[in-house]
Amino acid sequence: MKKRLLGLTLALSLSWSGSAMAAQNTYNWIDGGKKVEMKNIVSIDLDPSLVMLNAEDTIKLSKEAHDIPSGREIGSVYPKDDTQNWEVIFEYNETGHIKDDEKKKIDANAILKSYKKGTEEANKDKQPGDRIYVTGWDVEPFYDEKTHNLSWSLKLEDEKKQPFLNYNVRLLTRQGTVSVILVSDPEHLEADRKVLNEKILPKLEVKAGQKYEEFDASKDKTAEYGLSALILGGAGLVAAKKVGLLATIALFGKKFFVLILAALGGIGALVKRLFRRKQQESETQQPSAVQPPSDQQGETPAQ
């Protein structure tokens, strides 16, 4: 029975360096058991069973994994347990204040149709092996009015019918959104999502002065789109609130499809990460579970 690696970072580091010590020293680990601040926007009370990378190291990891970082990364979290193999990436986007007046009228069917058409059109310009397809909802878009969380999960597959999931949470703040992106696979999604819902999301706290309800219309910028357009990529979809999602497709044509694909949050890169991860697992024989060095207790900035 194969032994899974301690998160993607250690998998990559072990693969390149060949030594556990080098893997430990490659990144500046933040050990769990303390509160960690990200970009002075949000903090997380990091569970002792987890470790974290700051914004700089998260971007560094993305580049070394041959992915293209968005530039909005503010941190990432990984499990210590070597029987778990997932990652959670945090990003912050200063969109302006997004009004939630669409909370009871999100059209999941129209959004899904937009995603399907968008990826099919974008695939025409992609090389074989890089194409992905949206097959349906894993979790339909849901907005929690109390926590101001918008979440959804798309089912996707590659050209070999290999299934993947794109699970997203957007935490609305006074002037933007914090994205929480879970990288997992269908086999382990339920267990990994349980960790996300029990050990990560409840421990996130928007800092005072940045909370959604602290919006000040007299001086804060307001986004020109709402919840539905946020799911579909946000910027560039301003017309969606005026002419409707399907009409927007007809209006913008192929340019709209590019935005749809971008809204998947770099899912192509995440799919490739999962492929690399599985390959490294099969090639690595009985890797050691490396524990990141412990830090002193207290609030630690992630940047």
Side-chain angles (χ1 to χ4, degrees), residues 48-61:
S49 65
L50 307 175
V51 290
M52 188 170 183
L53 293 177
N54 63 16
E56 181 181 357
D57 277 342
T58 298
I59 292 173
K60 175 184 174 183
L61 170 61

Side-chain angles (χ1 to χ4, degrees), residues 17-297:
S17 68
S19 79
M21 184 59 68
Q24 183 169 315
N25 293 333
T26 300
Y27 296 92
N28 299 307
W29 291 104
I30 301 172
D31 199 30
K34 62 172 66 69
K35 184 174 286 189
V36 183
E37 182 179 303
M38 291 182 279
K39 199 178 173 63
N40 201 33
I41 297 292
V42 65
S43 65
I44 181 171
D45 188 2
L46 193 62
D47 191 88
S49 65
L50 307 175
V51 290
M52 188 170 183
L53 293 177
N54 63 16
E56 181 181 357
D57 277 342
T58 298
I59 292 173
K60 175 184 174 183
L61 170 61
S62 181
K63 290 179 178 179
E64 291 183 345
H66 305 291
D67 295 336
I68 301 175
S70 68
R72 297 187 295 269
E73 293 85 355
I74 57 175
S76 53
V77 169
Y78 307 83
K80 287 183 181 179
D81 186 348
D82 67 351
T83 65
Q84 298 180 36
N85 199 4
W86 52 264
E87 59 183 306
V88 170
I89 302 168
F90 299 97
E91 297 183 354
Y92 177 70
N93 189 9
E94 193 164 314
T95 58
H97 184 79
I98 296 178
K99 295 182 179 180
D100 62 0
D101 48 10
E102 286 183 272
K103 55 197 170 194
K104 294 183 180 179
K105 54 182 179 180
I106 297 174
D107 191 338
N109 290 332
I111 293 173
L112 181 62
K113 185 175 181 179
S114 300
Y115 266 118
K116 286 183 175 181
K117 286 190 174 183
T119 51
E120 288 170 5
E121 184 67 24
N123 281 337
K124 295 178 182 179
D125 296 325
K126 286 184 164 293
Q127 295 297 318
D130 290 337
R131 295 164 185 155
I132 57 173
Y133 303 88
V134 174
T135 60
W137 290 116
D138 170 50
V139 177
E140 289 191 1
F142 172 76
Y143 180 71
D144 188 328
E145 190 173 359
K146 293 181 179 179
T147 60
H148 305 293
N149 279 5
L150 176 65
S151 59
W152 69 93
S153 179
L154 280 166
K155 293 180 181 178
L156 306 105
E157 64 181 22
D158 63 14
E159 292 167 280
K160 296 181 179 180
K161 303 296 183 181
Q162 173 70 36
F164 297 93
L165 293 168
N166 178 230
Y167 187 75
N168 287 269
V169 176
R170 299 290 185 270
L171 175 59
L172 275 57
T173 69
R174 176 179 174 177
Q175 300 185 78
T177 63
V178 176
S179 299
V180 185
I181 305 168
L182 171 64
V183 184
S184 181
D185 55 47
E187 181 182 357
H188 304 99
L189 177 69
E190 286 307 315
D192 296 345
R193 188 154 51 193
K194 184 177 181 181
V195 175
L196 177 69
N197 290 331
E198 293 181 359
K199 293 186 176 182
I200 297 178
L201 291 180
K203 304 298 182 70
L204 279 176
E205 181 180 6
V206 179
K207 297 181 72 66
Q210 300 295 333
K211 296 181 183 294
Y212 185 81
E213 55 271 19
E214 293 177 302
F215 169 69
D216 186 345
S218 67
K219 60 182 180 180
D220 294 337
K221 173 186 174 183
T222 301
E224 295 187 73
Y225 54 87
L227 300 178
S228 295
L230 176 61
I231 300 170
L232 286 169
L237 300 181
V238 175
K241 70 176 185 179
K242 296 181 179 179
V243 299
L245 296 174
L246 299 182
T248 302
I249 293 176
L251 180 63
F252 288 106
K254 190 171 182 178
K255 291 182 179 180
F256 179 81
F257 296 133
V258 174
L259 292 170
I260 291 293
L261 188 63
L264 288 171
I267 186 62
L270 300 185
V271 167
K272 291 177 182 178
R273 284 195 191 187
L274 291 173
F275 272 127
R276 283 195 294 271
R277 181 183 302 177
K278 290 177 182 294
Q279 182 179 11
Q280 288 160 346
E281 287 177 354
S282 63
E283 292 176 352
T284 306
Q285 299 298 319
Q286 298 297 317
S288 300
V290 182
Q291 297 298 328
S294 297
D295 295 321
Q296 61 183 8
Q297 298 296 312

